Amino acid sequence: MEKVALITGATSGIGKAIAIKLAENNYNLIITGRRNDRLEKLKIEIENNTKSSVLTLNFDIRIKPEVQSAVNQIPEEWKNNLKILVNNAGLASGLEPLQKGDSEDWEKMIDTNIKGLLYITKEISPILVKNKKGHIINIGSIAGKEVYPNGNVYCATKHAVDALTKAMRIDLLPYNIKVTQIAPGMVNTEFSTVRFHGDTNKADNVYKGLTPLFAKDIAEILFFIVTRPEHVCINDIIVTPTAQANGSIVNRINE
Ligand code: NDP
Ligand code: 8X3
């Protein structure tokens, strides 16, 4: 077995697009998420259309024992060939001024985007250290580079991802492990539907009058990053749609 990549949050959006891109390029995959039906469907799709093998791990990244027991299920051969960890699972929940915010939304974001990312990295990074090689790619956000109105806690969690990316790069430096952050602006996935608690009208409005990024755009960037020569580590990439200047200024047609 050659080249294994583990992608968290592969049931949708950016994680799913990354899984497909890496499978098309001969990576075997470990894909994770809570929606097992989607994981199994993606496994079949990839195994029918590429030469890659897929292992599915169905768990909630917020629950430490679930993360630990899922990683324990990975067969030794897969662990020995694990080269890439994509920390992608994440979400925004709510878009309200802080004083009106819902603490359940805050906890969901903190538990997923910060604590979940830490739990899986704590389990996987020793495997990469043992393999004396590896690449961790954290999916941050433009919300980790600046803050925008009502983004408060989501922005804080993505600032944490920004800081953790830099910290991981230092701590894993002696072990030949690359650490990269991709920080996208607006990508049209299920992200906004989740942010607005299932309100698809509100979600559609986010992308109205502009061409957003698509999950495939991020997958292509990730593939470029992981195919650089051994001595090259891309630290950080901010990518927005052409119609987005920063976290809060966009150019909409008919506005
Ligand atoms: P989607 O909602 O389409 O996908 C999110 C993925 O994360 C799903 O596969 C979901 O799987 C997984 N996930 C969420 N919560 C958990 C959990 N508790 N346990 C396990 N998996 C979980 O959104 P995107 O693809 O857009 O989001 C992917 C990443 O990209 C996130 O970190 C997001 O913050 C970031 N991002 C998104 C941008 C955008 O505009 N879309 C821009 C910048 C960054 P499941 O529900 O099956 O568990
Ligand atoms: C997702 C992009 O602009 O909604 O991280 O924060 S944004």
Side-chain angles (χ1 to χ4, degrees):
M1 166 170 296
E2 276 185 56
K3 297 193 299 190
V4 175
L6 189 157
I7 303 149
T8 67
T11 57
S12 165
I14 295 171
K16 183 177 176 186
I18 290 171
I20 291 167
K21 181 74 184 173
L22 292 181
E24 286 168 351
N25 289 280
N26 305 321
Y27 281 84
N28 294 307
L29 300 181
I30 305 171
I31 54 173
T32 86
R34 289 166 301 178
R35 287 169 289 182
N36 200 39
D37 53 333
R38 290 196 184 198
L39 288 176
E40 291 306 325
K41 200 169 157 220
L42 185 59
K43 174 183 163 72
I44 291 167
E45 184 186 322
I46 288 174
E47 290 185 336
N48 284 346
N49 294 308
T50 71
K51 290 183 182 144
S52 297
S53 301
V54 179
L55 185 72
T56 63
L57 294 178
N58 177 217
F59 63 89
D60 187 329
I61 206 159
R62 294 171 293 181
I63 303 174
K64 189 162 51 171
E66 281 195 22
V67 177
Q68 289 167 331
S69 96
V71 172
N72 286 340
Q73 287 169 38
I74 303 174
E76 223 37 48
E77 198 195 354
W78 288 67
K79 282 185 181 165
N80 293 340
N81 291 291
L82 191 54
K83 305 266 188 285
I84 291 176
L85 166 64
V86 184
N87 278 320
N88 166 75
L91 81 170
S93 195
L95 186 69
E96 295 282 354
L98 196 83
Q99 64 277 14
K100 289 191 183 160
D102 178 340
S103 61
E104 276 183 28
D105 281 335
W106 299 350
E107 275 150 22
K108 241 187 249 173
M109 292 187 277
I110 292 166
D111 290 352
T112 312
N113 301 354
I114 307 179
K115 291 165 73 178
L117 181 144
L118 285 169
Y119 295 157
I120 188 78
T121 306
K122 169 124 171 67
E123 297 306 314
I124 296 298
S125 51
I127 299 171
L128 301 180
V129 167
K130 190 167 161 248
N131 293 346
K132 298 193 178 76
K133 206 176 176 175
H135 199 159
I136 298 175
I137 299 100
N138 293 329
I139 307 298
S141 169
I142 197 154
K145 301 290 183 182
E146 51 187 282
V147 292
Y148 51 80
N150 305 325
N152 44 65
V153 176
Y154 179 69
C155 294
T157 65
K158 289 299 183 177
H159 275 70
V161 174
D162 190 59
L164 287 169
T165 304
K166 292 177 198 152
M168 286 179 198
R169 196 176 305 116
I170 296 169
D171 295 349
L172 293 165
L173 184 69
Y175 308 102
N176 199 26
I177 294 167
K178 303 184 190 187
V179 183
T180 300
Q181 173 174 243
I182 304 176
M186 301 158 87
V187 190
N188 194 351
T189 61
E190 292 176 14
F191 175 85
S192 291
T193 305
V194 172
R195 167 171 257 173
F196 295 118
H197 307 117
D199 185 334
T200 48
N201 288 331
K202 269 193 183 171
D204 289 346
N205 280 337
V206 173
Y207 310 110
K208 216 170 225 169
L210 58 80
T211 305
L213 294 170
F214 299 101
K216 199 165 179 266
D217 298 318
I218 308 304
E220 280 169 7
I221 290 166
L222 181 133
F223 186 64
F224 177 80
I225 288 168
V226 300
T227 50
R228 291 313 84 211
E230 199 51 53
H231 66 287
V232 178
C233 176
I234 296 176
N235 286 204
D236 207 348
I237 287 190
I238 301 176
V239 52
T240 63
T242 306
Q244 181 178 17
N246 62 26
S248 45
I249 301 178
V250 295
N251 180 29
R252 290 185 206 272
I253 298 164
N254 299 329
E255 215 175 41

